[in-house]
């Protein structure tokens, strides 16, 4: 799985831990051409199937390991395009730690959680404490990297721990 995928799973784990009543769906898009309609590409997905996965009315936070504009170009004809928010490469940063490069491009787990909180209607007020905790973790990370030249141990040693549903 690529960096964006791992950061997405880490964000989903945080959301599950702190906001257990929030429904979150993680979709790993392996073939970007599936985002297009069948009339545009042979691998394209029908509008019905696309809406079944990505919804026709809910916020979609898309973490992508490339330039965000590509995802927007591939999905611009979709029903819910106005609700698709893409985080990806912005050409921010310089040589640093792996996680710090992701932070500089706002593709880190903490920023993805903040994006969800900011975009799900009615969640900002209810999850203000969680959002502030994410801001604080980004600041903690920034200070730690500048002091040590390494990522926080909780970041560099993170592994997905699937939790049972229900």
């Amino acid at each position: 799985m690529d960096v964006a995928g791992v950061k997405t799973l880490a964000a989903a784990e945080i959301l599950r831990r702190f906001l257990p009543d929030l429904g979150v769906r993680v979709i790993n898009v392996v073939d970007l051409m599936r985002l297009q309609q069948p009339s545009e590409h042979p691998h394209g997905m029908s509008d019905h199937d696309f809406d079944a996965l990505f919804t026709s009315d809910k916020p979609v936070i898309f973490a992508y390991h490339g330039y965000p504009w590509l995802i927007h170009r591939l999905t611009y004809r979709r029903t819910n395009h106005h609700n698709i928010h893409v985080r990806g490469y912005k050409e921010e940063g310089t040589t640093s730690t792996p996680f710090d490069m992701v932070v500089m491009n706002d593709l880190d787990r903490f920023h993805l959680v903040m994006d969800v909180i900011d975009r799900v209607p009615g969640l900002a007020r209810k999850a203000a404490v969680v959002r502030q905790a994410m801001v604080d973790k980004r600041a903690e990370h920034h200070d730690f990297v500048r002091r040590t030249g390494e990522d926080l141990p909780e970041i560099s040693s993170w592994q997905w721990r699937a939790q049972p549903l229900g």
Side-chain angles (χ1 to χ4, degrees):
M1 185 170 281
D2 66 6
V3 171
V6 171
K7 301 312 171 205
T8 300
L9 288 176
E13 184 179 78
I14 292 168
L15 289 165
R16 182 180 251 181
R17 185 173 356 127
F18 292 107
L19 301 168
D21 294 335
L22 179 67
V24 175
R25 178 183 299 166
V26 175
I27 300 168
N28 185 23
V29 178
V30 178
D31 180 356
L32 289 179
M33 295 304 107
R34 297 285 291 152
L35 298 174
Q36 290 193 306
Q37 295 167 319
S39 61
E40 296 295 320
H41 194 278
H43 299 172
M45 190 182 312
S46 72
D47 287 333
H48 177 267
D49 290 346
F50 186 92
D51 290 347
L53 285 175
F54 294 99
T55 79
S56 59
D57 62 349
K58 304 280 187 288
V60 175
I61 310 298
F62 203 111
Y64 177 53
H65 61 86
Y67 292 104
W69 59 261
L70 176 60
I71 303 304
H72 285 294
R73 289 184 80 178
L74 294 173
T75 61
Y76 79 97
R77 291 185 178 165
R78 297 300 187 167
T79 304
N80 200 23
H81 183 258
H82 67 281
N83 265 334
I84 296 177
H85 180 76
V86 185
R87 287 286 175 196
Y89 185 60
K90 299 187 313 185
E91 298 186 27
E92 292 295 325
T94 183
T95 304
S96 185
T97 69
F99 186 73
D100 200 41
M101 292 299 296
V102 175
V103 169
M104 289 180 208
N105 285 279
D106 294 331
L107 188 56
D108 59 281
R109 65 192 69 187
F110 309 123
H111 207 98
L112 294 173
V113 169
M114 293 178 345
D115 278 342
V116 170
I117 291 169
D118 291 347
R119 286 173 173 74
V120 171
L123 192 57
R125 202 172 326 140
K126 191 163 87 172
V129 172
V130 175
R131 190 185 193 292
Q132 185 58 52
M134 299 301 103
V135 170
D136 295 346
K137 287 305 282 183
R138 281 176 56 104
E140 178 186 349
H141 160 77
H142 180 271
D143 294 345
F144 187 85
V145 168
R146 299 313 176 272
R147 197 171 56 254
T148 68
E150 297 178 8
D151 288 324
L152 287 166
E154 68 191 72
I155 300 297
S156 57
S157 65
W158 183 86
Q159 292 181 354
W160 173 252
R161 291 173 195 75
Q163 302 169 3
L165 296 175

